[in-house]
Amino acid sequence: MITLHDVYEEGNDTVRAAVLAFGTRHPVGSDGPDVEPDWKQAEKHFTRIIETIMGSAAPPPHGSTDGPVRRAENAAIGFLLATHTRPGYRCPICVKRQWPQP
């Protein structure tokens, strides 16, 4: 499965900006404006987004085992691109973890 680091390394300037924006949504702490991203947590959450997308994917056509993974990775990258310029956007995995559990 592709990593957030790989997406950054292989992407164009827009993709790189989207990865950086996703990282900033995972601060190490909340102590001031110059807080570094928690890249380990961001990486985990990116993987969870891919897994969530894969879990809802249709079965692969023609017996391919690579198809659903590649499609989920592409959808996750599309998700980063669609949300990186939205002000106030929060990572859906972070938000889900904060919802009250039944």
Side-chain angles (χ1 to χ4, degrees):
M1 191 174 307
I2 196 166
T3 66
L4 195 57
H5 177 76
D6 291 339
V7 171
Y8 180 85
E9 289 296 317
E10 297 170 11
N12 61 27
D13 290 342
T14 304
V15 171
R16 288 180 177 192
V19 169
L20 293 175
F22 190 72
T24 62
R25 290 177 171 89
H26 298 87
V28 172
S30 58
D31 300 321
D34 297 327
V35 176
E36 290 291 317
D38 183 345
W39 287 108
K40 186 175 181 178
Q41 183 181 39
E43 191 72 62
K44 284 182 188 178
H45 288 191
F46 181 68
T47 300
R48 294 269 317 271
I49 289 169
I50 294 170
E51 290 169 347
T52 300
I53 293 168
M54 251 185 359
S56 64
H62 309 293
S64 169
T65 58
D66 183 48
V69 174
R70 176 54 68 197
R71 286 193 303 273
E73 290 170 345
N74 288 337
I77 294 167
F79 171 80
L80 294 180
L81 291 168
T83 59
H84 85 281
T85 58
R86 300 191 67 150
Y89 172 78
R90 294 177 57 206
C91 166
I93 305 302
C94 293
V95 171
K96 184 176 180 180
R97 290 178 52 197
Q98 294 174 354
W99 287 345
Q101 300 299 316

